């Protein structure tokens, strides 16, 4: 395991977030490829889900969940949903809205 992985895991278990780093080092465990001017993970998806009183609010909540976990795991350079590939969003209305998203992280 790389030292950056050990430090990040140690900080995560201690409840300490990494300092606004643009990369955590964990992205290196996945295969990447160039896609349309971006570097994307080949076959690794991240997921997010959210709820809201409107479909728009639930979508925003799901995207925020996707982004925050991706940033936590790989760093801010990977957490921009607008750059993600293979996006799939599914929403349902039932006493409010619930949305789920999956996408492969990408960076410029």
């Amino acid at each position: 395991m790389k030292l950056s992985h050990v430090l990040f895991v140690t900080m995560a278990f201690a409840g300490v977030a990494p300092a606004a780093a643009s990369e955590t080092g964990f992205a290196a465990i996945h295969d990447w490829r160039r896609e349309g001017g971006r570097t994307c993970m080949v076959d690794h998806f991240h997921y997010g889900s959210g709820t809201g009183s409107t479909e728009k609010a639930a979508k925003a909540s799901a995207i925020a969940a996707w982004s925050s976990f991706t940033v936590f795991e790989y760093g801010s350079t990977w957490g921009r949903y607008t750059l993600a590939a293979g996006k799939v969003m599914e929403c349902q209305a039932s006493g409010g809205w619930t949305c789920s998203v999956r996408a492969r992280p990408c960076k410029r």
Side-chain angles (χ1 to χ4, degrees):
M1 181 179 281
K2 293 181 181 177
L3 178 59
S4 60
H5 291 141
V6 172
L7 290 175
F8 183 76
V9 170
T10 301
M11 290 183 337
F13 282 108
V16 177
S22 60
E23 296 274 343
T24 65
F26 280 126
I29 65 174
H30 301 291
D31 292 329
W32 309 348
R33 69 174 168 226
R34 293 291 294 167
E35 295 182 25
R38 304 165 294 174
T39 300
C40 299
M41 295 188 182
V42 173
D43 57 5
H44 181 70
F45 284 83
H46 271 209
Y47 300 84
S49 61
T51 59
S53 58
T54 65
E55 183 178 15
K56 182 178 179 178
K59 284 181 178 182
S61 179
I63 290 168
W66 181 94
S67 182
S68 66
F69 183 73
T70 303
V71 167
F72 172 76
E73 192 165 33
Y74 303 125
S76 58
T77 57
W78 292 96
R80 291 179 51 198
Y81 182 77
T82 56
L83 295 178
K87 298 177 201 173
V88 175
M89 175 83 69
E90 296 176 345
C91 297
Q92 292 181 327
S94 176
W97 284 87
T98 301
C99 294
S100 297
V101 65
R102 72 174 181 152
R104 290 182 290 117
C106 299
K107 68 177 183 172
R108 287 220 189 266

